[in-house]
Amino acid sequence: MPVNPKRRTTLRDVAEAAGVSPSTVSNAYNRPDQLSPGLRERVLEVARQLGYSPHPLARGLRRGQVGAVGVLYGDSLSYPFADPVAALFMQGLSSVIEAASLGLLLVPRRTVDDALVRTAAVDGFVVYSLFEHDALVERVLERGLPTVFVDHPGRAGFPAVRVDDLGGAQAAAAHLLGLGHTRLGVVALPLGGADAANLSCCNASRARLQGYEGALPGTGAWMQVLEVAENLPSEGARAARDLLSLKPRPSALLCMSDQLALGVLDAARQMGLRVPEDLSVVGFDDIPEARRTIPALTTVHQPLLEKGVWAGRLLLAQLRQEPLEPPPTLPTHLVLRESSGSFRG
Amino acid sequence: MPVNPKRRTTLRDVAEAAGVSPSTVSNAYNRPDQLSPGLRERVLEVARQLGYSPHPLARGLRRGQVGAVGVLYGDSLSYPFADPVAALFMQGLSSVIEAASLGLLLVPRRTVDDALVRTAAVDGFVVYSLFEHDALVERVLERGLPTVFVDHPGRAGFPAVRVDDLGGAQAAAAHLLGLGHTRLGVVALPLGGADAANLSCCNASRARLQGYEGALPGTGAWMQVLEVAENLPSEGARAARDLLSLKPRPSALLCMSDQLALGVLDAARQMGLRVPEDLSVVGFDDIPEARRTIPALTTVHQPLLEKGVWAGRLLLAQLRQEPLEPPPTLPTHLVLRESSGSFRG
DNA sequence: TTAGACTACTGAAACGATTTAGTAAATCGG
DNA sequence: CCGATTTACTAAATCGTTTCAGTAGTCTAA
């Protein structure tokens, strides 16, 4: 008894079994008004019995859409689940995408090659925090799909969601300078270097550095910048140990992310430095945990959920061919908590 | 000057422009050995100039694969970014999926209809923590794709990753009983009720309840169960307030998740109850934050990353048609910290 | 010299749906 | 009762690739 090697049940099979044309089966699914209710019910029943389900790729190919949007970001696949900043952004984005009944395809930058970007079955892309000169940006644009850039200058014709990183960073630095600090350390996220070849860096980092530096002129303070390799507390701790062994020691540390600042607080504790009495620490992002550290972290708030929501909105607008003004640069603001205090020489 | 309305550059266009057949262009991409290096280079150059990129759906349709796996779970799209347990699972899963250069498509259960499951362009599914009798399980199976079940009994022929929820819960309850507690409150995740209609419940909840109850016989202790609607600290706090206003008051609370336990700790603090002197609290999951609460949370550890890794492995094995034994039930164990203490009547 | 094996490329048939245009029958207004 | 519209359904083209089978032409071995 030669059993047919397993093959998909196809629309044609259903049509034959029901004694109708393929078009009718298709219509039963997609245009109920095109056939009599009785027949439709019968067709659907036959389909059910045969265990038929339409092939999503075939359908997508014909219709020109798949019902999913891709998120491209500059780290490992697991990053948005591990990093609180990315996670919040994704939550904002998700809420909009979900309301539109779309799926979300995660496309990490750190894949062997760019195959994933070229083959991702999506209707549009959100490019999150990729480095400005990343070649992958070109690959995305080649797809010719609706695209939104986040934390990236973007391209003419494509909306971008931007945050006032520069202003926030400047406020953070000005805050410390105002407290009398004159020796500042900066725990910096990857900056990409002059050659612009390091792709793990993102544009926000550069804007933040610029902001820090912008607060300096005329104050007579100095600033020592130390770059970390990854956005992790452990890296922040390591950088803090290095910066705090400088002579003279910085009396305040500006951290380009709260993740780094968490590590800095740990390191300070281990080194027996009291925060903020011996050392002031200022973070960036205002992740939920920043409020719960001891001491609670002074940091720069950026509207992460809102950022995601805007990215989603702008992408949907493109998908639906509706016009939608991209938002102005989203504001940041300094949140004063307990980890920063005035300098006591 | 009638501009052609924007149309995709297709493989055929490239073929014409390069003066070769479509097959050759395709081969230039997919089978370099099938044509001379010189021609290949020329074809690729033409393609580049025309801004051509192969249509992923057409390619996927023909080849029978898309290079992405779907994750189906029982909550909102943003859940895995917001819930620490799901996030850790996803990190484990991601690490494996990424190593295989695949994308990850998030498919939330809470979508208007089941369209997403039927249309998701993926090569396989991970079904995470869906309720046993959820109709969506059928929809997934109808797709006829490789599938792995997590926290779900699954189906014959499909591997499942299971965790010893029952044993862990029993250990938690036994721990409290051993400390002399005789009045226990349970802050329960949605259990689905007898009608099995509530889909926001998952099987792990039931196993945990069973575990708690299994420790009870012969101890003379009683147990009051209160179900929450969602796995959020705020819900845990609310449940705690209700349970702690019972007369006589429970001296210990078993929480079905650390998220709930976090809320319980908050509520206790607000009610002026000291933990563990006045109230013992035991969580479940052992999320990273459990170690940092004050007091640190006694909880049941489950291997979340490992769970994700197994799910990924089992799915990949199916995709590659390699045999792979599903793992035995993964172990849980009680982690004693500071939130549980002996009963002082 | 010639059968056989490569090499470099092409033609046409899939893959599995949707959709446009069209046909026959039923319904309608007057 | 007749032409016009509507209803219910179908044939065939199409979406953009990949791949099987095939065709010249070149190379090897005896």
Side-chain angles (χ1 to χ4, degrees), chain B residues 63-283:
Chain B
R63 299 184 121 189
Q65 46 155 292
V66 264
V69 308
V71 185
L72 181 63
Y73 49 92
D75 226 288
S76 69
L77 183 53
S78 58
Y79 188 72
F81 303 110
D83 180 71
V85 173
L88 275 171
F89 170 80
M90 294 301 284
Q91 287 177 57
L93 178 63
S94 300
S95 64
V96 180
I97 297 302
E98 175 164 46
S101 295
L102 298 173
L104 204 59
L105 182 72
L106 268 30
V107 183
R109 197 255 170 281
R110 283 215 194 145
T111 315
V112 196
D113 48 23
D114 44 13
L116 256 187
V117 173
R118 292 196 291 106
T119 67
V122 295
D123 298 325
F125 273 109
V126 172
V127 175
Y128 176 74
S129 203
L130 234 52
F131 180 47
E132 184 172 354
H133 304 296
D134 194 322
L136 221 56
V137 173
E138 304 306 326
R139 297 293 88 70
V140 171
L141 293 173
E142 279 170 8
R143 290 286 306 266
L145 296 174
T147 301
V148 173
F149 290 90
V150 179
D151 285 344
H152 189 285
R155 283 291 195 291
F158 294 97
V161 180
R162 291 191 198 83
V163 162
D164 185 19
D165 287 295
L166 195 145
Q170 189 155 356
H175 165 62
L176 290 175
L177 294 168
L179 289 171
H181 295 273
T182 54
R183 305 186 308 272
L184 305 181
V186 170
V187 184
L189 289 169
L191 293 162
D195 57 355
N198 184 343
L199 297 176
S200 72
C201 108
C202 92
N203 312 282
S205 323
R206 299 186 157 201
R208 291 177 191 180
L209 183 59
Q210 227 178 311
Y212 292 152
E213 285 170 343
L216 226 41
T219 62
W222 60 257
M223 181 181 280
Q224 177 72 37
V225 179
L226 184 56
E227 215 173 311
V228 302
E230 270 190 294
N231 186 20
L232 291 174
S234 56
E235 286 286 288
R238 193 139 60 95
R241 279 191 290 272
D242 287 356
L243 283 168
L244 294 175
S245 58
L246 291 175
K247 309 275 151 91
R249 206 180 65 204
S251 63
L253 256 36
L254 286 158
C255 308
M256 279 205 192
S257 78
D258 286 352
Q259 283 280 81
L260 292 174
L262 295 183
V264 168
L265 289 181
D266 282 347
R269 190 173 310 124
Q270 280 178 15
M271 296 174 79
L273 294 172
R274 294 164 306 164
V275 177
E277 291 82 355
D278 305 323
L279 177 73
S280 285
V281 178
V282 178

Side-chain angles (χ1 to χ4, degrees), chain A residues 20-21 23-24 34-36 39 61-62:
Chain A
V20 297
S21 80
S23 333
T24 301
Q34 293 288 308
L35 71 178
S36 57
L39 181 56
L61 173 59
R62 184 61 238 234

Side-chain angles (χ1 to χ4, degrees), chain B residues 20-21 23-24 27 34-36 39 61-62:
Chain B
V20 296
S21 80
S23 333
T24 300
N27 285 334
Q34 294 288 308
L35 71 177
S36 56
L39 181 54
L61 172 60
R62 184 61 239 229

Side-chain angles (χ1 to χ4, degrees), chain A residues 256-268:
Chain A
M256 279 204 191
S257 79
D258 286 354
Q259 284 279 82
L260 292 174
L262 295 185
V264 168
L265 289 181
D266 284 346

